[in-house]
């Protein structure tokens, strides 16, 4: 029996609408993660038109791509515009402040520091670096040109806590904010690998991170948010991918294969068992039953079950007693692929669940059967199909490019990122350094009358703090692109 093909034309139309037009109003509250949304959209188009997505590789991959050369240049400039001057990236243009509001003098350490440290965050930095690799032209060697490598690596180190975990950002009081879960471990490990943290001499505490991940394995074999928390397939992926990227950056990988995965997962067989148990036979809900729980978990006729039965549709959940969700097909399949156990799960029933139950008529995939598509589940649906495709006879899902489960992008984009990393580790001797900006900074200070400018800002901060107001908001007056003139604000005092 032949497989149902992926309707790539339908999905291409969906993603092109996302790129070329305004997203539905439901995304308004997601403006703070606009960079993340941009990544899903661009990476999906790349996956649907990369060289390996064609039955015959195109002679000109850039021309064959759905992302035009003009779009690559424009979107690359947009990504770099979100870079914070003191390291990391902001998630949205609305978090990028004018330069004079991003710097303050630290009298204790006698250095300049960020006035708005909370605007750069770990997730945005991860998506920015991956997006630069997806958008790179040619072989990707120049993908990281313009990235403040050293500043970003130093900023990354400040996000690690003493217990080895990572937070999401540094708040205005200088504390590490955000949870301690495996997502941040994965984001940090990816940034470290991409920018060559160990090679740059700006590494974080790798052993502490591995120990933190190791403490996350639970009694049922899965991985929790952190120690003593409930196991969850999404956290399992993040933990394993983080360890896998640490192995990828290990210079002794030939003599120490899987060093960090073996050190960070106490029991790999138990972990594989937990993941295999996330797949279950999906049954359509009874339309006559108004009980929501019954709809989510229809009970089979136990008398008709047999061990020899082959499931027709297999969904995945992230935890015990949860409903089938498109994204968990990816979290589970991607993790098992990294562990070398991809064939533990049944590809065809899992594939049929995505194509027959969550694929939408306008393209994209929904979270649950019958729901509307969204860019998150639409991308991870493609990721799941691409990862499951490795089990196919030709090693790929027809119509999709080959997929790298470690970085959650297409193989060609992953190769461009690798080239960009190599370029950082072996820089051209052109006399330039991305952090050797002292002369430019001194010239800028001279033009801005820096000392006088800082004095004005300090006086305004004292005024607004005394009034119980937020100094940045008052100086912006809700218009970041046209901030108030400081002299005008001082006249109001």
């Amino acid at each position: 029996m032949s497989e149902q093909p992926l309707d790539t034309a339908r999905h291409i139309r969906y993603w092109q609408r996302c790129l070329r037009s305004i997203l539905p109003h439901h995304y308004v509250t997601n403006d703070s993660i606009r960079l993340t949304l941009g990544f899903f959209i661009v990476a999906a188009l790349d996956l649907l038109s990369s060289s390996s997505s064609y039955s015959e590789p195109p002679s000109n991959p850039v021309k064959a791509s759905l992302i035009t050369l003009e779009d690559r240049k424009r979107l690359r400039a947009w990504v770099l515009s979100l870079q914070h001057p003191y390291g990391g990236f902001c998630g949205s243009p609305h978090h990028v402040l004018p330069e004079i509001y991003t710097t303050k003098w630290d009298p204790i350490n006698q250095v300049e520091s960020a006035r708005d440290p909370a605007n750069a965050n770990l997730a945005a930095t991860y998506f920015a670096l991956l997006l630069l690799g997806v958008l790179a032209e040619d072989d990707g060697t120049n993908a990281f040109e313009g990235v403040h490598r050293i500043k970003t690596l130093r900023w990354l180190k400040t996000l690690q806590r003493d217990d080895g975990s990572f937070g999401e950002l540094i708040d205005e009081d200088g504390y590490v904010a955000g949870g301690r879960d495996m997502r941040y471990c994965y984001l940090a490990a990816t940034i470290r690998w991409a920018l060559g943290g160990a090679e740059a001499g700006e590494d974080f505490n790798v052993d502490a991170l591995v120990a933190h991940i190791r403490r996350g394995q639970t009694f049922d074999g899965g991985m929790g948010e952190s120690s003593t928390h409930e196991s969850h397939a999404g956290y399992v992926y993040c933990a394993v991918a983080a360890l896998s990227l640490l192995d990828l950056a290990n210079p002794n990988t030939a003599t120490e294969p899987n060093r960090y995965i073996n050190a960070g997962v106490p029991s790999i067989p138990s972990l594989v068992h937990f993941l295999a148990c996330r797949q279950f036979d999906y049954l359509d809900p009874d339309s006559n039953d108004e009980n929501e729980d019954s709809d989510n978990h229809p009970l089979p006729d136990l008398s008709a079950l047999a061990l020899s039965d082959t499931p027709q549709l297999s969904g995945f959940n992230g935890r015990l007693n949860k409903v089938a969700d498109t994204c968990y097909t990816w979290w589970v399949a991607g993790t098992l692929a990294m562990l070398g156990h991809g064939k533990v799960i049944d590809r065809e029933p899992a594939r049929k669940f995505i194509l027959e139950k969550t694929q939408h008529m306008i393209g994209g995939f929904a979270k649950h059967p019958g729901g509307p598509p969204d860019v998150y589940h639409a991308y991870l649906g493609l990721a799941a199909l691409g990862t499951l495709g490795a089990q196919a006879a030709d090693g790929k899902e027809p119509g999709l490019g080959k997929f790298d489960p470690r970085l959650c992008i297409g193989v060609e984009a992953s190769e461009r990122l690798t080239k960009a990393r190599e370029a950082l580790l072996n820089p051209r001797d052109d006399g330039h350094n991305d952090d050797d900006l002292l002369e430019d900074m001194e010239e800028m200070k001279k033009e801005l009358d820096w000392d006088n400018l800082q004095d004005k800002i300090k006086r305004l901060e004292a005024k607004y703090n005394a009034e119980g107001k937020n100094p940045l908001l008052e100086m912006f007056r809700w218009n970041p692109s046209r901030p108030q003139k400081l002299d005008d604000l001082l006249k109001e005092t």
Side-chain angles (χ1 to χ4, degrees), residues 222-272:
M223 304 288 282
E225 173 185 336
S226 54
S227 177
T228 74
H229 285 246
E230 182 184 11
S231 55
H232 189 287
Y235 291 137
V236 171
Y237 169 85
C238 292
V240 171
L243 296 169
S244 181
L245 283 159
L246 294 179
D247 279 324
L248 187 62
N250 181 11
N252 303 316
T253 187
T255 57
E256 300 175 326
N258 299 322
R259 169 188 172 183
Y260 291 109
I261 283 185
N262 291 329
V265 184
S267 175
I268 292 178
S270 297
L271 187 67
V272 172

Side-chain angles (χ1 to χ4, degrees), residues 281 283 297-307 309:
D281 198 358
L283 303 176
H297 304 282
L299 298 176
D301 180 2
L302 298 181
S303 64
L305 293 179
L307 292 175
D309 286 347

Side-chain angles (χ1 to χ4, degrees), residues 136-381:
E137 302 169 34
D138 300 323
D139 66 352
T141 298
N142 301 321
F144 290 154
E145 281 192 1
V147 174
H148 302 325
R149 177 194 183 195
I150 301 303
K151 288 181 179 179
T152 297
L153 289 170
R154 289 174 180 168
W155 165 80
L156 178 63
K157 289 195 295 183
T158 66
L159 295 174
Q160 188 175 30
R161 302 183 180 92
D162 292 339
D163 65 359
S165 68
F166 277 82
E168 183 180 10
L169 51 85
I170 301 295
D171 66 19
E172 284 78 2
D173 297 319
Y175 293 101
V176 178
R180 282 177 159 79
D181 64 67
M182 300 300 168
R183 293 173 299 176
Y184 302 134
C185 298
Y186 169 56
L187 300 176
T190 305
I191 296 167
R192 172 188 183 265
W193 170 80
L195 297 182
E199 294 80 358
E202 297 291 346
D203 208 358
F204 54 66
N205 191 332
V206 172
D207 290 338
L209 173 62
V210 174
H212 171 70
I213 294 174
R214 182 181 179 86
R215 291 191 293 270
Q217 188 163 32
T218 59
F219 72 93
D220 60 0
M223 304 288 282
E225 173 185 336
S226 54
S227 177
T228 74
H229 285 246
E230 182 184 11
S231 55
H232 189 287
Y235 291 137
V236 171
Y237 169 85
C238 292
V240 171
L243 296 169
S244 181
L245 283 159
L246 294 179
D247 279 324
L248 187 62
N250 181 11
N252 303 316
T253 187
T255 57
E256 300 175 326
N258 299 322
R259 169 188 172 183
Y260 291 109
I261 283 185
N262 291 329
V265 184
S267 175
I268 292 178
S270 297
L271 187 67
V272 172
H273 179 266
F274 169 82
L275 292 169
C277 290
R278 304 277 59 78
Q279 186 177 29
F280 58 93
D281 198 358
Y282 176 80
L283 303 176
D284 285 318
D286 183 357
S287 60
N288 296 320
D289 193 336
E290 297 180 358
N291 185 301
E292 182 178 351
D293 291 334
S294 177
D295 282 348
N296 287 336
H297 304 282
L299 298 176
D301 180 2
L302 298 181
S303 64
L305 293 179
L307 292 175
S308 60
D309 286 347
T310 301
Q312 299 301 309
L313 295 169
S314 292
F316 288 80
N317 60 18
R319 294 174 287 165
L320 188 64
N321 289 330
K322 294 297 181 179
V323 299
D325 184 328
T326 297
C327 69
Y328 289 112
T329 306
W330 150 248
W331 297 124
V332 173
T335 309
L336 288 170
M338 286 186 287
L339 293 171
H341 293 280
K343 293 185 178 180
V344 166
I345 57 178
D346 295 325
R347 173 177 177 258
E348 187 54 28
R351 186 176 176 275
K352 286 178 67 176
F353 171 75
I354 295 176
L355 293 178
E356 294 182 14
K357 296 300 177 182
T358 68
Q359 182 174 219
H360 200 273
M361 66 174 65
I362 68 168
F365 298 96
K367 176 181 176 68
H368 300 305
D374 64 80
V375 297
Y376 171 75
H377 289 92
Y379 181 73
L380 294 186

